[in-house]
Amino acid sequence: MLDLLAGLNDAQRTAVTTIDGPVLTLAGPGSGKTRVLTHRIAFLLQHGIAPSEILAVTFTNKAAREMRERMQHLVGVDLAGKVDIGTFHSLAARWLRRDGRAIGLADGWLIYDDDDQQRLIKRVSKELKLPDKPFTPRAISSAISSAKNELLDPEAYAAASRSPEGRIYAAAYTRYSELLKIAAAVDFDDLLLLTIDLFQTSILTRYHRRYRYILVDEYQDTNRAQYEMVRALARGSGNIFVVGDDDQSIYGWRGADVRNIRRFESDFAGAQVIILAENYRSTQAILDVAQVLIDAAPKRVHRKLLRGQTPGGEPATWRECSDQNEESQRVCDAIETIVKKGIGLYADCAIMYRTNAQSRAFEEALSRRRIPYVVIGGMRFYERREIKDVLAWLRLLSNPNDDISMVRAIEFPAQGIGAGSIAHLSDWASQHNTSLYKALLDAAADSTTVPALRGAARQRVMTFGARLYRLVKRAPTLSLLDAFDEMLTESQFIAGLVNEYGGSDAESRVENVNELRRVAGEYTALPIDEQLLRFLEEIALVADVDRLAAVDNHVVCITLHQAKGLEYDNVFLVGLEDELIPHARTHSDPIQIEEERRILYVGVTRARKRLALSRVLRRMNYGRYDQTLPSRFLGDIPKGMLAHATALGTVSPVSSGTRSTTAFLGWGTASAHKPPVVLVQYEVGDVVRHQRFGEGVVLAAKAVDDDIEVVVRFADSAVGEKRLIASFARLEKVIAPQ
């Protein structure tokens, strides 16, 4: 029998072998948490637990694949394949596909991605005749997502909305939900919300019987819906094992709540806490920088003392540059030195920044120096227009009532059906509370249906309707590849690409379509009636991080948020200025300020061997230079810990004279005095004004310690949604005219 405990340190061994009851494992960066998770599952299997009784939840498909692959090496392919491992969303989709009828979910439902959601909301805005400001599609979708994250359905959200603006958002939410139901579609938030609804039925008992051992990765990133899902499942056996790190909670902007992991011990009585602090990634010199940064954060429940397996190491370097151009040139200098000295490849180097806009100067410098690079976060494969268009046709074969896909299919390849005809069909469908597909078929069958359609326009609608009807009827009898090919032939899709784009552009797009067909070929082993639906579902659930494909020998340019979970020998953290990290939009909220500190901590701990920090003294913004201040977080790094990068390939220790590091970095210690608590009460729908961000609408408000946390959707789309602490934000209520 394989010795699963061999090579584990004491804390890892305890985490693996503590089988029963609630367990919280706080895993510092590079501490081997994936190894602990996989070895724990293997340990359960060795001790007689059936694989079907184990559920492992991750946040990305990439993490799920890695976990399953490691499991296969430990226990074999057959046994590993019987353990339920997946993301919150993929598991929720699977459960809803099986049991959704119990809560009224129609068969054959589809998942709308962000682009589909925006298109549907534009239709809602048009139907409700909403003004562009402040009710942009992005603002409406954010308000709906926030409501769902607070577990509010349209009725509950409407009941809580008292201001005129709040009632408009509620009306948009209500109509959006109605259109989703007509289309037999759900969005990403619905997958979680509907699963919670499912868990409120007697069916939950079946899940309790099945899943006796539950493991959750990255628990610090759970939002309220995910938190409630985990708690509902854990009420069965009580055997809940979560791994996470509150010091690496950096996704508050998308609903993650660090308090979920911090209150685990109060949620689950008798919970055992295990701390994994042994670091197998970074040198101790890098970990020392990370330690002082995170130790300055308040409200940490458990401190983790980062201990590296590589003592010493090169000191982290610090450089101040005149502007973005000099900063990018100095980074290029350092990368070329690493390669020329033979101490690393281009692929061992990563340039990390807080915002996507910062990449431009580095892209230009790398290009001029002929240094190969890749920017993570550009146009992704499944977001390319031709891929979205193919998927729209395939989705119609599965669910012809999908209005968003119907419009895409009409628009490409061009069917000769103009915007006016689409508008007539849409108006008829809205008036009769039906789908575009049914309106189209009715118009083709009866000339009195959609009377605004006449002559040649009606004939083109009839021709398109007949073609689509044939495809929809034949689809259930076809394999995915046959349906794919028949759709391309019937729609003349390839000819449409050649006619619209021509030349090498068309050739590239045809190659992308062929690549999508290759992906479809991976589903041929499934029963024919499952292939199309599974293909569409799994593509819809691919997250950004899952698309970070391995690159050849290229320097990686990446945001700090996207870098979480990755590691490189050489990390260049650039733009460490107080308007960038912490970002200017977070300055009025101490909760967001501390999340910004954790973002920097995550960046530092991505480095294995070398860490270089830099900032510019002035930054070009909107055509003019602005003076900058160094990030306030740098003031927490003691003197002597950083080396001053004075020339190419050489460093000198930061002077330890009489100046503090804070003074050296040009930052005075900010007062830690907290403003007096305000007692103003806020309700959903209140209109408020912020000195910097302008007017906005309150989406949620709740007590936090001795203060009030308010979620506000600001009218300025550049600001968007903010989570604020009332005493710091000093929000002013706006009295609506009577």
Side-chain angles (χ1 to χ4, degrees), residues 676-698:
V677 173
V678 293
L679 299 178
V680 178
Q681 298 298 311
Y682 300 93
E683 296 179 338
V684 173
D686 282 349
V687 181
V688 294
R689 182 182 293 113
H690 186 278
Q691 270 191 331
R692 180 169 186 170
F693 305 142
E695 287 193 7
V697 177
V698 174

Side-chain angles (χ1 to χ4, degrees), residues 569-580:
D569 282 355
N570 312 287
V571 169
F572 298 87
L573 288 179
V574 300
L576 300 186
E577 297 137 38
D578 216 55
E579 292 290 293
L580 291 173

Side-chain angles (χ1 to χ4, degrees), residues 54 71 123 172 254 325 357 385 520 578 599 603 605 650 702:
I54 302 171
M71 285 290 304
R123 176 177 169 183
R254 69 183 187 195
N325 292 329
R385 178 181 169 184
D578 216 55
I599 292 170
T605 55
T650 63
K702 57 185 175 184

Side-chain angles (χ1 to χ4, degrees), residues 272-294:
Q272 181 166 342
V273 178
I274 302 165
I275 296 179
L276 305 181
E278 202 78 20
N279 183 284
Y280 296 89
R281 175 189 301 153
S282 308
T283 65
Q284 192 62 49
I286 292 170
L287 294 177
D288 288 344
V289 174
Q291 189 78 62
V292 296
L293 280 172
I294 203 62

Side-chain angles (χ1 to χ4, degrees), residues 31-252:
S31 60
K33 70 179 180 65
T34 304
R35 189 180 191 196
V36 164
L37 282 165
T38 53
H39 278 65
R40 179 181 173 85
I41 295 173
F43 189 83
L44 291 171
L45 294 172
Q46 275 194 356
H47 285 74
I49 307 302
S52 61
E53 296 178 320
I54 302 171
L55 172 68
V57 189
T58 69
F59 266 83
T60 67
N61 293 307
K62 177 183 176 184
R65 283 195 302 271
E66 181 182 356
M67 190 181 299
R68 192 173 296 281
E69 287 167 2
R70 292 199 189 189
M71 285 290 304
Q72 290 170 354
H73 288 299
L74 292 175
V75 300
V77 174
D78 290 342
L79 206 55
K82 295 176 183 177
V83 176
D84 264 3
I85 303 174
T87 66
F88 277 100
H89 288 90
S90 65
L91 290 166
R94 191 188 312 166
W95 297 334
L96 291 171
R97 193 72 69 190
R98 183 174 59 206
D99 295 320
R101 289 182 182 177
I103 54 173
L105 196 57
D107 291 338
W109 48 270
L110 295 173
I111 301 171
Y112 273 8
D113 64 14
D114 182 69
D115 182 63
D116 301 323
Q117 185 184 42
Q118 292 302 302
R119 285 172 172 253
L120 189 60
I121 286 175
K122 286 177 183 177
R123 176 177 169 183
V124 170
S125 297
K126 183 179 178 181
E127 286 188 13
L128 299 182
K129 298 180 172 59
L130 301 183
D132 292 339
K133 290 187 177 181
F135 305 107
T136 64
R138 186 62 62 184
I140 295 171
S141 64
S142 180
I144 292 172
S145 182
S146 295
K148 291 182 178 181
N149 192 44
E150 294 297 323
L151 310 185
L152 298 174
D153 61 18
E155 293 75 18
Y157 186 72
S161 301
R162 292 177 173 81
S163 72
E165 288 81 2
R167 287 192 287 272
I168 290 174
Y169 280 118
Y173 182 12
T174 299
R175 183 55 180 159
Y176 171 77
S177 298
E178 290 171 352
L179 291 176
L180 278 179
K181 188 171 183 178
I182 291 171
V186 302
D187 61 25
F188 290 132
D189 292 320
D190 285 330
L191 290 173
L192 306 183
L193 199 62
L194 291 170
T195 299
I196 291 174
D197 289 345
L198 182 65
F199 285 173
Q200 291 174 350
T201 72
S202 59
I203 288 177
L204 179 60
T205 305
R206 186 202 308 159
Y207 288 89
H208 284 165
R209 287 196 300 266
R210 174 166 183 177
Y211 298 125
R212 293 178 51 224
Y213 293 88
I214 302 163
L215 301 88
V216 184
D217 192 12
E218 304 285 11
Y219 193 66
Q220 78 281 349
D221 291 335
T222 52
N223 60 25
R224 182 176 175 187
Q226 291 157 341
Y227 169 77
E228 294 294 346
M229 284 173 61
V230 170
R231 292 189 69 195
L233 286 169
R235 283 200 298 269
S237 66
N239 298 322
I240 173 73
F241 178 90
V242 304
V243 180
D245 184 4
D246 53 335
D247 292 336
Q248 296 186 73
S249 178
I250 63 172
Y251 296 116

Side-chain angles (χ1 to χ4, degrees), residues 526-681:
L526 295 173
I528 284 180
D529 60 346
E530 293 182 19
Q531 292 177 14
L532 177 58
L533 200 58
R534 182 79 68 84
F535 170 71
L536 295 172
E537 183 174 293
E538 293 188 0
I539 283 178
L541 291 170
V542 175
D544 289 351
V545 70
D546 301 318
R547 299 171 175 130
L548 302 186
V551 297
D552 294 327
N553 191 20
H554 289 62
V555 173
V556 172
C557 301
I558 189 169
T559 67
L560 289 165
H561 278 103
Q562 292 169 319
K564 188 171 181 292
L566 305 177
E567 56 186 67
Y568 301 90
D569 282 355
N570 312 287
V571 169
F572 298 87
L573 288 179
V574 300
L576 300 186
E577 297 137 38
D578 216 55
E579 292 290 293
L580 291 173
I581 187 161
H583 197 282
R585 292 201 297 263
T586 69
H587 285 187
S588 63
D589 185 349
I591 290 179
Q592 292 190 55
I593 288 284
E594 290 314 312
E595 181 162 310
E596 294 285 305
R597 177 188 294 278
R598 296 194 293 267
I599 292 170
L600 182 57
Y601 172 76
V602 165
V604 168
T605 55
R606 300 309 93 194
R608 286 191 288 247
K609 297 179 180 178
R610 299 171 194 87
L611 173 68
L613 314 177
S614 64
R615 73 130 175 158
V616 303
L617 299 174
R618 58 177 191 161
R619 183 170 291 275
M620 176 70 76
N621 290 307
Y622 305 106
R624 64 183 179 86
Y625 277 107
D626 293 329
Q627 298 298 311
T628 71
L629 291 170
S631 170
R632 66 189 70 181
F633 304 137
L634 295 169
D636 297 316
I637 303 175
K639 53 191 175 184
M641 189 170 284
L642 295 179
H644 193 192
T646 55
L648 180 61
T650 63
V651 296
S652 62
V654 172
S655 171
S656 60
T658 57
R659 296 182 302 175
S660 68
T661 305
T662 298
F664 166 76
L665 296 176
W667 184 259
T669 304
S671 170
H673 176 67
K674 182 179 179 179
V677 173
V678 293
L679 299 178
V680 178
Q681 298 298 311

